[in-house]
Amino acid sequence: QLQINMNLIFNVVLTVVTTFCSSHAFIITNSRHHTGGTAGNNGGRNVKTMIFHNNLDSSSSSNTLLPSQINGDGQKQQNQQEQQDLTETIRQQSLVEFEEAMEHFMFELGNEMIFLSNQKEVSSYIEDKFDTIIFDCDGVLYRGMNPIPEAIEALNSLIQTQKKQVLFITNNAGSSRKQLKDKLVSLLKCDLLTEEQMISSSYSAAKYLQKELELNGNKNVKDCNVHVIGTSGLCEELKNFGFHVTGGPNDVDDDDDDNHNKTDESDEIQKTSMSREELESYTFEKEEQLNGNKNDVPTPVDAVVIGLDTEFNYRKLCIANVLLQRHPNALLVATNEDAYDLVGSDSRHLPGNGSLVKAVESASQRKAINVGKPSKILANLLREEFDLDLSRTLMVGDRLDTDVKFGKDGV
């Protein structure tokens, strides 16, 4: 039974970079870790890649139905077809990722590669070599609002049967740790999950700012002023740490009715542009007055944090840019630098947070500090907070530029 449950994980994501492939999947992990090295020479780490035969083709896509999908015969068939379509989409994308990964790592690793020929060998290897499994979330455990087939069984096996330490990490800063936990519990029907297992890039940003401003900057977090481009989830996580937060999704200005748009849900006026004249006269009262206290001396802005904001606009760019100009010591933090995400059956590129980060970097002539995957900052947070033995830690994900790079260079 243990063997069967171990195999489930490879029908879910197949480790650091894939989900479904027609005939192969692979694992990339650090078998040894030594301190003191640099990224250029892999820090003395012996990186190994294991490839095994998965025997999964388009005709063998999972037909498993989740309890929530059985709503009568008609709905059942529709949901079954949607699940098959999801599996096929993932499989096709994995073929592309597989070829790209092999091109990246085949010649680099050479004789250091380990080939595992079947799932039994892979199962034994995972059981023997790893204590901690770190999962990316979107595209690995779920796709949109659909669970990846057999993800639920895999997690239950790892947590309950094998007693592995399982962590969940995402570059999505739109959710706080609590929101991420609630989403996983709802989608995966897994009541075993706790908030402490969740590591979102919003949490990573808050921890980084706490360390830099409180421990290294000799400031009390409650006296720290952080301006946000991002969602309410990012703002909530920062507020949970005690930061005073401005900006975010409700960054509105009620003083001027010119050149504005009205939201459907509120009578508040949401302005999206800013003219030369308005920027010249803009007072930055909200951004520079901590807790609403009106002082003669502006309260310093200690950091500008950039998370994905689907309502990002020129006005937000202007305000963040000038705040960095007015407060040159303010930290510029990116929750991630993802270029794009994939949506739809034809894998359309949905611009990611990296596009917003580049806009602010270009305008401010500053380089943002990335606290999401694949940064060392996030790797150090995981190691310190969970006392990880990096040589016995496996990263599971679906992207080369974030998950694989993080597993190879960071974890």
Side-chain angles (χ1 to χ4, degrees):
Q1 182 62 39
L2 176 62
Q3 181 66 50
I4 293 173
N5 286 335
M6 275 305 301
N7 287 339
L8 288 174
I9 191 173
F10 301 109
N11 288 331
V12 180
V13 281
L14 305 178
T15 76
V16 188
V17 68
T18 67
T19 45
F20 289 84
C21 297
S22 61
S23 61
H24 293 87
F26 52 92
I27 299 171
I28 301 175
T29 180
N30 297 329
S31 61
R32 294 202 304 269
H33 183 271
H34 304 283
T35 59
T38 64
N41 64 10
N42 283 333
R45 289 173 294 209
N46 179 18
V47 181
K48 293 186 178 181
T49 299
M50 300 143 285
I51 300 183
F52 68 95
H53 191 68
N54 186 45
N55 290 324
L56 180 64
D57 56 30
S58 58
S59 64
S60 63
S61 299
S62 174
N63 294 326
T64 302
L65 288 179
L66 303 178
S68 60
Q69 294 176 312
I70 303 176
N71 302 316
D73 291 341
Q75 186 65 40
K76 177 179 178 180
Q77 291 177 358
Q78 178 183 345
N79 288 330
Q80 182 175 1
Q81 183 60 49
E82 290 175 354
Q83 198 76 357
Q84 290 175 340
D85 291 344
L86 171 66
T87 302
E88 174 62 15
T89 298
I90 295 172
R91 188 187 71 83
Q92 291 289 349
Q93 292 172 1
S94 295
L95 290 174
V96 177
E97 292 289 308
F98 178 81
E99 294 296 332
E100 186 175 348
M102 292 308 299
E103 181 180 341
H104 275 249
F105 297 113
M106 178 68 80
F107 295 105
E108 176 185 340
L109 298 176
N111 293 331
E112 293 179 354
M113 298 183 72
I114 297 177
F115 287 83
L116 303 177
S117 60
N118 55 61
Q119 290 186 343
K120 182 177 180 180
E121 290 184 13
V122 174
S123 178
S124 297
Y125 192 93
I126 296 292
E127 177 67 16
D128 294 341
K129 301 295 183 181
F130 302 109
D131 300 321
T132 302
I133 315 293
I134 304 175
F135 282 96
D136 176 46
C137 296
D138 195 3
V140 172
L141 298 173
Y142 57 84
R143 189 77 176 269
M145 296 302 292
N146 298 303
I148 297 296
E150 298 180 347
I152 301 166
E153 294 87 346
L155 290 178
N156 285 333
S157 173
L158 288 169
I159 297 172
Q160 286 188 306
T161 306
Q162 300 167 48
K163 308 301 181 184
K164 301 290 186 183
Q165 177 176 228
V166 176
L167 305 176
F168 303 89
I169 185 170
T170 177
N171 268 357
N172 182 359
S175 301
S176 64
R177 298 178 89 184
K178 182 181 184 304
Q179 291 171 330
L180 178 59
K181 189 266 292 186
D182 291 343
K183 180 175 183 177
L184 289 178
V185 169
S186 175
L187 285 178
L188 303 177
K189 312 301 180 187
C190 183
D191 295 329
L192 301 172
L193 307 183
T194 67
E195 190 173 325
E196 288 69 30
Q197 292 173 282
M198 310 296 151
I199 306 294
S200 63
S201 57
S202 58
Y203 178 75
S204 179
K207 290 289 288 188
Y208 174 77
L209 290 177
Q210 181 186 53
K211 181 178 181 180
E212 290 298 311
L213 297 176
E214 190 173 62
L215 300 182
N216 297 339
N218 296 317
K219 295 194 69 173
N220 190 310
V221 164
K222 294 183 178 180
D223 295 329
C224 292
N225 197 12
V226 178
H227 184 75
V228 170
I229 294 175
T231 64
S232 57
L234 174 57
C235 294
E236 177 184 329
E237 194 67 72
L238 291 167
K239 289 177 181 178
N240 288 341
F241 275 72
F243 293 105
H244 176 74
V245 177
T246 63
N250 298 318
D251 190 6
V252 295
D253 189 343
D254 303 313
D255 297 333
D256 189 353
D257 291 345
D258 296 334
N259 196 13
H260 67 266
N261 297 315
K262 284 191 176 182
T263 64
D264 295 331
E265 301 176 356
S266 172
D267 292 333
E268 285 186 316
I269 295 170
Q270 176 70 62
K271 301 183 66 174
T272 60
S273 65
M274 180 171 275
S275 66
R276 289 172 176 265
E277 293 76 18
E278 185 180 3
L279 181 59
E280 181 179 0
S281 61
Y282 193 81
T283 62
F284 294 95
E285 275 191 2
K286 290 187 298 182
E287 294 81 7
E288 294 180 341
Q289 291 182 358
L290 188 60
N291 294 326
N293 296 324
K294 294 189 175 182
N295 303 314
D296 294 331
V297 180
T299 300
V301 173
D302 298 289
V304 173
V305 179
I306 308 171
L308 183 61
D309 183 350
T310 57
E311 297 181 351
F312 181 68
N313 54 55
Y314 190 69
R315 183 180 189 82
K316 293 181 179 181
L317 175 60
C318 286
I319 292 173
N321 180 50
V322 178
L323 284 175
L324 291 169
Q325 181 185 3
R326 290 163 68 93
H327 304 276
N329 293 325
L331 298 171
L332 177 58
V333 174
T335 58
N336 70 78
E337 296 179 332
D338 294 359
Y340 59 84
D341 198 2
L342 298 176
V343 297
S345 59
D346 54 352
S347 301
R348 299 179 182 185
H349 288 192
L350 180 69
N353 192 51
S355 58
L356 279 61
V357 174
K358 290 297 183 185
V360 176
E361 286 182 337
S362 178
S364 66
Q365 294 297 289
R366 293 272 303 272
K367 176 62 180 173
I369 302 161
N370 182 18
V371 297
K373 294 175 294 185
S375 72
K376 292 287 187 181
I377 291 172
L378 181 56
N380 290 336
L381 169 63
L382 289 171
R383 186 176 66 249
E384 294 169 3
E385 190 148 320
F386 297 96
D387 194 25
L388 297 185
D389 178 352
L390 298 184
S391 67
R392 295 187 59 84
T393 300
L394 176 66
M395 174 67 204
V396 181
D398 63 339
R399 290 183 62 144
L400 283 173
D401 58 342
T402 55
D403 302 318
V404 172
K405 186 172 176 58
F406 184 62
K408 182 172 178 293
D409 297 341
V411 176

